[in-house]
Structures are given as C-alpha cells and as structure tokens.
C-alpha cells in the first residue's frame, strides 16, 4: 500500500522501497586513477642513515663531540674516507688540515671527484694553499661542518660516485 502526500507524491520510505525493487542501474564506476609519478615524500624519506647498510659500503650513522659511528663501529677522532676505505686521520683541529695531511691524494687512483672537508662544528674558510693543492690533485673541494659532510658523503657514496671525506669531530672548533 502506498501512501500519498497531500502534494500528490509518495511518502519517502515507500519511494525508496520502490526504487530498490526496480534495480536502477548504478552509473558506471571510473577505474581508479593511475599512480602519480610525482613523489609524495621527500628525498630524506628514502635515505636511511641507520639501518640496511650494504656490507661493502661505508655509512656514517651518528656523530658526537669526539667522533663518528660508521657501520655500527664507534671511531674517536678525525677520519679520512676514500670510497669505502676508512682510516684514522691525524689533524685534531682545522689549523692542522694542510696539504701534507692530505698527501695521500697525490698517489691515490682513481682520484675522487670531490673531497668533502668536515671542518668540525662550524664551516671554516679554507686557505688558498689548501684549496690549490686539492685542485692540483684533480678533485673539487667542499668545506662544510662535519655533520653535513658526513651526510653528503653518505648520499654521494650511495649514488656510487667516487668521493672522499676528511672529517674532524663535530666538537672541534677553531
């Protein structure tokens, strides 16, 4: 039994029931959109500085006032990294960074494309003598604080580039 309103129409519950019985076809659904090629996250989401370290690759994981943690091992003092080779480095403050302290680059082959110089807590101006020495070896020089130097080394090394880093501990200041 259908109910009619004074305005000449059916009551709403009856109309809904009638529509359900007549199986009105639903409009065709559009296929889900294709995934966007644009990144919805930052580059930093892709870089994991702590976990999943390939066995054959150096990865700076932490730093503190006195040294660095690389591939799960804590090293005190300054470090020199060339590709995936890690060694202790003599300079203890920025004034001790000289062409002599970087003399290994005269004989090293293949020559890294860039030397990232971690100056300690703050970026220090590089003397022209040191800058000219690094250029004479065929490398570019980037002087930054040690925290950013370690991160930059990780990124470039992960890309497979031939890179070197000379890092003073973060607690060092001129």
């Amino acid at each position: 039994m259908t109910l009619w309103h004074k305005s000449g129409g059916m009551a709403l519950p009856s109309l809904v029931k009638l529509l359900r019985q007549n199986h009105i076809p639903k409009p065709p659904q559009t296929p889900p959109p294709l995934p966007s090629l644009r990144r919805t996250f930052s580059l930093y989401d892709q870089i994991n500085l702590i976990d999943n370290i390939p066995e054959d690759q150096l990865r700076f994981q932490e730093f503190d006032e006195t040294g660095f943690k690389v591939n799960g091992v804590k090293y005190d003092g300054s470090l020199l990294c060339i590709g995936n080779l890690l060694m202790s480095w003599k300079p203890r403050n920025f004034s001790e960074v000289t062409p002599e302290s970087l003399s290994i680059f005269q004989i090293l082959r293949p020559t890294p494309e860039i030397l990232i110089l971690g100056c300690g807590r703050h970026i220090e101006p590089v003397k022209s003598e040191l800058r000219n020495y690094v250029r004479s070896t065929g490398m570019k020089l980037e002087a930054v604080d040690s925290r950013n130097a370690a991160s930059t080394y990780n990124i470039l090394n992960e890309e497979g580039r031939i890179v070197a880093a000379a890092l003073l501990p973060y607690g060092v200041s001129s």
Side-chain angles (χ1 to χ4, degrees):
M1 172 181 216
T2 58
L3 299 173
W4 291 92
H5 281 290
K6 294 179 183 177
S7 63
M10 278 195 258
L12 185 59
S14 298
L15 181 60
V16 170
K17 185 176 180 181
L18 182 64
L19 288 174
R20 284 185 183 157
Q21 289 174 354
N22 289 335
H23 300 290
I24 298 174
K26 295 179 181 175
Q29 291 186 356
T30 59
L34 294 173
S36 172
L37 296 177
R38 289 169 51 181
R39 289 188 174 144
T40 57
F41 48 87
S42 75
L43 179 61
Y44 296 106
D45 294 335
Q46 298 177 32
I47 301 169
N48 186 340
L49 297 178
I50 298 174
D51 299 322
N52 303 325
I53 302 162
E55 289 181 23
D56 65 338
Q57 192 173 61
L58 290 180
R59 191 124 186 96
F60 285 89
Q61 297 170 293
E62 296 175 8
F63 65 92
D64 60 24
E65 301 293 310
T66 61
F68 304 90
K69 184 176 180 183
V70 182
N71 291 25
V73 179
K74 172 74 168 93
Y75 296 92
D76 284 330
S78 302
L79 295 177
L80 187 60
C81 306
I82 304 163
N84 287 318
L85 177 66
L86 179 68
M87 61 190 93
S88 183
W89 189 42
K90 187 176 180 180
R92 298 293 171 230
N93 58 52
F94 191 75
S95 65
E96 294 177 12
V97 179
T98 63
E100 292 77 31
S101 70
L102 298 171
S103 63
I104 190 170
F105 293 108
Q106 285 294 340
I107 58 170
L108 184 70
R109 297 295 178 263
T111 304
E113 59 185 275
I114 186 169
L115 171 63
I116 306 161
L117 179 58
C119 303
R121 186 175 303 278
H122 304 289
I123 300 172
E124 299 287 341
V126 178
K127 294 179 183 176
S128 61
E129 175 190 13
L130 182 60
R131 190 170 296 280
N132 291 337
Y133 171 77
V134 172
R135 279 191 200 135
S136 76
T137 65
M139 293 185 295
K140 296 175 183 152
L141 176 65
E142 184 70 29
V144 292
D145 64 274
S146 291
R147 183 181 91 184
N148 286 311
S151 295
T152 303
Y153 175 86
N154 284 347
I155 291 168
L156 295 177
N157 196 31
E158 186 177 290
E159 290 175 355
R161 294 170 65 179
I162 301 173
V163 61
L167 303 165
L168 297 168
Y170 192 70
V172 171
S173 56
S174 62

